[in-house]
């Protein structure tokens, strides 16, 4: 059991003292600042509230202009509420609640009187100064909104125009209209923006005493007129192409003209066609231009109505349901702030002590468990619920302890397996040498060949262990190059064909010669060769081993299938374990070292691939390697 920490070094005491000190300083500073700055903050608050209300109205008006209903507006209300500190609610004109930043969509309006009416077809020009005399929100574009493809094409055209202008020593700036159309404005050398027409429904043309429609195209820098040279450059660079209506705009304009024709017909006025900029030819306009302008306004509103939110009541106020009155901080308020500060200080100390005590208890348990693990107790566990941070730490500690225990068992087992694998060939070599030394055996050619065979087996085990050690340490170097997977399969089959023929096993390759990938050819042949060698070893005479290669689009797949003895379902998860053999009675001469499949798995992972095994006992096995192209 570890010794208790001295009181002056205890985390509990230090946490409590630090928390009290920080809380005391924070509360004192907060109270002093509140007493000193509240009066000035109140005066500034009124102007800030007005700016916040304007921002709220503009944001919701834009939302109403770009959506057909209020569904999904709750996140917008909550974001505005967080930024402005106001409570925001919406309801229909009949008083049915729509959404509330505090209470949700099912709550009644929190204030007695609405602050404003949000109607994208009749906005408050004082709050949205960019609107025209028709009071339609500029963001309300309805069917004039371009598709994604049209937006991309418009942007591409604008970029080409800018590049052309740059080649002509002109500067152009790319902008975008609310409906998504890109525009180009000549700057520096003078000029007017292009690409402004049919970008969105322009405000209804206001007529003056001469009934001249207001242009819908923005003007350039004040006092700058495009000269003949600018006009020629603009024509050569295709500024006019930016004004060509898209299919979406043509359909929307045709629909608007149909609505306008119906209105003119109802008023018994001659037909009139709006141009792409939603203006009409003054010379072709009939008498009564005011009636024509009214029909244009009516047609636009009829066209936009399905695409915008209906008129809605907006409620803005405090979170407690009242508006924010102006007030001055008096002595009683100052005393109240000090009392609240003292209460906060006491609460902070109490809560900090409680939290610290609960924090220290599991930490002590973890410390004791770590000490027991250091002393060799691998069964150490800390029983804590994982519903808080310390509990999760305890769970991670338990997982680490279990993982450490498993690694220790694997290490012990591997040491025993390595000793067993090396003991047999070394014992054979020693026995034969001692027999020669004692004069029992005579060193002849057969005796030398036997010693060489044992040495080769020993070298094979050492090479396999070396490959695994390099793979585990991340030092397995790969020389990647373009490799034909079919050629690799053919080379492996050719290398193992004599052995397969001697064992009475048919060895064939199937696949598509065109599959190419980036891989280390030596390691790739080693991977496939280990699988083929393993398959031939476990396939009886008269059986077949098939190597298949195919291109799977993003990966090249090698499959080695045999008709051998197969692997039991319970043993299949262990086929890639080191020194594992399905038949425990097999020795190294008939069952290999038990490292081949483990090496294949490590080499596959080094190539960012994966290997899987499927087998049916008595029918055969299939090993599949997937390597990325």
């Amino acid at each position: 059991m570890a010794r208790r920490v001295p009181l002056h070094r205890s985390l509990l005491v230090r946490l409590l003292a630090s928390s009290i000190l920080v809380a005391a300083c924070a509360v004192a500073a907060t109270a002093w600042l509140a007493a000193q700055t509240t009066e000035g903050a109140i005066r500034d608050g009124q102007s800030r509230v007005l700016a916040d209300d304007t921002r709220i109205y503009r944001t919701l008006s834009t939302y109403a202009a770009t959506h057909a209903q209020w569904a999904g507006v709750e996140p917008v209300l909550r974001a505005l509420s967080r930024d402005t500190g106001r409570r925001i609610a919406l309801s229909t004109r009949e008083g049915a609640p729509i959404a509330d930043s505090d209470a949700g969509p099912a709550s009644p309006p929190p204030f007695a009187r609405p602050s404003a009416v949000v109607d994208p077809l009749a906005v408050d020009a004082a709050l949205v100064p960019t609107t025209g005399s028709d009071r339609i929100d500029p963001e309300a574009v309805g069917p004039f909104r371009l598709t994604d493809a049209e937006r991309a094409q418009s942007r591409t055209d604008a970029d080409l125009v800018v590049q052309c202008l740059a080649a002509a020593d002109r500067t152009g700036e790319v902008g975008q209209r609310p409906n998504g159309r890109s525009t180009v404005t000549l700057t520096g050398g003078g000029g007017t923006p292009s690409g402004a027409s049919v970008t969105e429904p322009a405000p209804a043309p206001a007529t003056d005493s001469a009934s001249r429609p207001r242009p819908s195209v923005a003007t350039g820098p004040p006092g700058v007129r495009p000269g003949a040279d600018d006009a020629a450059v603009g024509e050569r660079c295709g500024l006019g192409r930016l004004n060509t209506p898209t299919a979406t705009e043509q359909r929307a304009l045709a629909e608007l003209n149909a609505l306008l024709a119906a209105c003119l017909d109802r008023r018994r006025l001659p037909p009139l066609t709006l141009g792409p900029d939603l203006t009409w030819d003054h010379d072709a306009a009939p008498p009564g231009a005011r009636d024509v302008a009214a029909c244009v306004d009516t047609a636009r509103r009829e066209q936009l109505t399905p695409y915008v939110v209906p008129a809605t009541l907006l409620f803005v106020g405090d979170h407690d349901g009242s508006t924010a009155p102006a007030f001055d901080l008096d002595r009683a308020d100052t005393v109240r702030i000090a009392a609240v500060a003292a209460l906060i200080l006491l609460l902070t100390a109490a809560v900090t002590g409680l939290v610290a005590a609960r924090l220290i208890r599991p930490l002590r348990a973890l410390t004791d468990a770590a000490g027991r693990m250091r002393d060799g107790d691998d069964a150490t566990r800390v029983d804590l619920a994982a519903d808080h941070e310390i509990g999760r730490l305890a769970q991670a500690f338990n997982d680490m302890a279990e993982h450490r225990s498993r690694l220790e068992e694997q290490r012990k087992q591997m040491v025993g397996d390595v000793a067993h694998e090396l003991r047999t060939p070394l014992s054979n070599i020693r026995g034969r040498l001692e027999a020669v030394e004692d004069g029992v055996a005579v060193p002849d050619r057969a005796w030398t060949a036997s010693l060489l065979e044992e040495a080769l087996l020993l070298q094979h085990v050492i090479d396999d262990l070396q490959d695994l050690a390099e793979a585990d340490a991340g030092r397995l170097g790969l020389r990647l190059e373009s490799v034909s997977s079919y050629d690799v399969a053919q080379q492996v089959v050719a290398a193992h064909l004599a052995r397969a023929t001697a064992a009475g096993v048919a060895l064939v390759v199937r696949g598509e010669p065109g599959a190419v990938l980036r891989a280390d050819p030596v390691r790739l042949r080693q991977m496939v060769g280990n699988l083929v060698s393993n398959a031939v070893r476990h396939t009886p005479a008269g059986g077949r081993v098939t190597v298949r290669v195919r291109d799977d689009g993003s990966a090249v797949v090698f499959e080695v299938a045999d008709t051998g003895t197969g692997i039991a379902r319970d043993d299949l998860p262990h086929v890639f374990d080191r020194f594992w053999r399905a038949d425990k009675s097999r020795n190294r001469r008939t069952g290999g070292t038990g490292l081949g499949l483990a090496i294949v798995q490590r080499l596959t992972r080094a190539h960012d691939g994966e290997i899987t095994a499927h087998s049916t006992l008595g029918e055969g096995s299939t090993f599949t390697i997937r390597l990325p192209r």
Side-chain angles (χ1 to χ4, degrees):
M1 184 65 66
R3 294 186 305 170
R4 291 187 175 274
V5 179
L7 189 60
H8 67 282
R9 294 182 176 272
S10 171
L11 180 61
L12 172 61
V13 175
R14 286 190 287 178
L15 179 60
L16 184 60
S18 300
S19 300
I20 293 176
L21 179 61
V22 171
C25 294
V27 171
T30 301
W32 183 82
L33 289 175
Q36 295 295 321
T37 61
T38 299
E39 293 184 12
I42 292 173
R43 289 191 296 266
D44 297 337
Q46 292 180 344
S47 59
R48 186 175 62 254
V49 168
L50 179 59
D52 291 340
D53 290 347
T54 301
R55 175 188 174 189
I56 292 170
Y57 181 88
R58 290 182 179 178
T59 301
L60 294 179
S61 178
T62 299
Y63 188 96
T66 55
H67 294 76
Q69 54 186 352
W70 288 111
V73 76
E74 288 82 4
V76 178
L77 295 184
R78 287 193 291 270
L80 288 173
S81 178
R82 286 194 304 270
D83 295 341
T84 62
R86 310 297 302 279
R87 182 177 180 180
I88 309 168
L90 298 170
S91 73
T92 64
R93 286 185 176 273
E94 294 75 21
I98 296 176
D100 190 337
S101 64
D102 284 12
S107 302
F111 311 109
R113 299 180 59 183
S115 303
V117 177
V118 179
D119 186 357
L121 301 183
V123 299
D124 189 342
L127 299 178
V128 187
T130 57
T131 187
S133 60
D134 57 358
R135 298 179 60 195
I136 296 178
D137 195 297
E139 297 293 329
V141 297
F144 285 84
R145 187 177 302 279
L146 302 185
T147 64
D148 293 341
E150 291 173 339
R151 286 171 181 258
Q153 184 61 47
S154 178
R155 177 67 191 204
T156 301
D157 293 341
D159 291 339
L160 292 176
V161 169
V162 170
Q163 295 176 8
C164 179
L165 292 175
D169 198 22
R170 297 293 191 277
T171 304
E173 293 182 353
V174 178
Q176 190 179 69
R177 297 291 182 174
N179 76 326
R181 174 181 284 275
S182 297
T183 63
V184 175
T185 304
L186 286 173
T187 59
T192 59
S194 178
S197 60
V198 297
T199 58
E200 73 274 347
T207 56
D208 53 19
S209 58
S211 299
R212 176 169 298 175
R214 183 181 61 196
S216 66
V217 179
T219 59
V224 180
R225 295 178 177 275
D229 186 49
D230 285 341
V233 171
E235 180 179 2
R236 184 168 66 253
C237 290
L239 283 173
R241 183 172 65 252
L242 298 180
N243 292 324
T244 303
T246 65
T248 298
E249 294 169 327
Q250 291 175 357
R251 289 192 299 269
L253 186 61
E255 177 186 359
L256 181 60
N257 278 313
L259 295 174
L260 174 62
C263 178
L264 294 174
D265 183 68
R266 289 194 299 269
R267 300 196 180 199
R268 301 184 182 280
L269 294 173
L272 190 66
T273 301
L274 294 178
D277 58 352
L278 304 189
T279 61
W280 64 88
D281 186 3
H282 171 66
D283 296 332
R290 292 186 179 276
D291 292 336
V292 173
C295 275
V296 172
D297 184 78
T298 300
R300 289 197 62 214
R301 295 177 189 277
E302 290 179 0
Q303 185 183 38
L304 294 176
T305 296
Y307 297 92
V308 300
V309 174
T312 304
L313 299 182
L314 171 64
F315 300 85
V316 181
D318 276 350
H319 292 281
D320 58 1
S322 62
T323 58
F327 65 93
D328 293 329
L329 191 66
D330 55 16
R331 182 179 180 82
D333 294 325
T334 304
V335 173
R336 189 177 301 110
I337 291 176
V340 172
L343 179 61
I344 292 176
L345 177 60
L346 294 176
L347 291 176
T348 301
V351 172
T352 302
L354 178 62
V355 172
R358 294 176 60 87
L359 180 66
I360 292 299
R361 191 181 307 118
L363 288 178
R364 286 176 176 169
L366 284 170
T367 302
D368 293 341
R372 292 193 300 271
M373 180 182 294
R374 179 199 58 198
D375 296 336
D377 185 3
D378 293 335
T380 299
R381 288 187 58 85
V382 179
D383 295 328
L384 288 176
D387 55 354
H388 51 79
E389 288 78 0
I390 304 300
R392 293 178 181 176
L393 176 60
Q395 186 179 22
F397 178 86
N398 294 335
D399 294 341
M400 179 189 67
E402 293 177 2
H403 182 65
R404 179 178 177 273
S405 179
R406 289 195 301 269
L407 289 179
E408 183 65 17
E409 290 297 328
Q410 292 177 0
R411 183 188 67 81
K412 293 178 181 178
Q413 182 179 357
M414 183 174 179
V415 170
D417 290 338
V418 170
H420 174 75
E421 293 296 331
L422 297 180
R423 182 185 299 113
T424 302
L426 287 175
S427 297
N428 292 337
I429 293 174
R430 178 182 176 183
R432 288 182 172 86
L433 291 176
E434 288 178 348
V436 172
E437 185 179 7
D438 295 339
V440 177
V442 178
D444 55 7
R445 187 177 185 85
W447 180 85
T448 304
S450 176
L451 286 181
L452 178 61
E453 181 181 359
E454 294 297 337
L456 291 176
L457 289 174
L458 184 61
Q459 182 65 42
H460 182 54
V461 174
I462 294 174
D463 290 343
D464 288 348
L465 290 173
Q466 181 67 25
D467 288 341
L468 286 174
E470 291 181 355
D472 292 340
R475 297 193 301 267
L476 189 63
L478 297 178
R479 297 184 178 180
L480 301 180
E481 58 184 72
S482 296
V483 180
S484 171
S485 57
Y486 187 76
D487 291 345
V488 170
Q490 284 185 321
Q491 294 169 7
V492 172
V493 169
H496 291 78
L497 187 60
R499 179 183 174 188
T501 302
V505 177
L507 179 59
V508 296
V509 60
R510 299 284 187 268
E512 303 171 357
V516 178
L517 75 159
R518 292 279 297 176
D520 186 324
V522 176
R523 295 298 186 181
L524 185 57
R525 286 193 295 269
Q526 182 181 0
M527 293 155 56
V528 181
N530 283 1
L531 294 181
V532 172
S533 175
N534 193 65
V536 171
R537 186 184 302 116
H538 292 84
T539 302
R544 173 183 291 267
V545 175
T546 305
V547 181
R548 299 187 183 90
V549 181
R550 56 187 173 87
D551 190 343
D552 196 15
S554 61
V556 174
V557 180
F558 293 86
E559 290 183 354
V560 178
D562 62 65
T563 59
T565 57
I567 304 171
R569 179 179 300 179
D570 295 338
D571 293 334
L572 197 58
H574 304 287
V575 294
F576 297 109
D577 293 347
R578 301 174 185 184
F579 298 108
W580 182 87
R581 297 186 182 94
D583 187 354
K584 304 303 182 182
S585 65
R586 286 182 177 267
N587 55 31
R588 289 178 293 101
R589 300 182 185 277
T590 59
T593 65
L595 297 174
L597 293 180
I599 293 175
V600 173
Q601 184 185 54
R602 295 304 187 278
L603 292 178
T604 302
R605 290 177 179 175
H607 283 82
D608 295 330
E610 62 177 355
I611 180 171
T612 56
H614 301 278
S615 182
T616 301
L617 193 62
E619 296 182 5
S621 305
T622 300
F623 288 83
T624 304
I625 298 176
R626 294 178 59 86
L627 299 178
R629 294 295 298 271

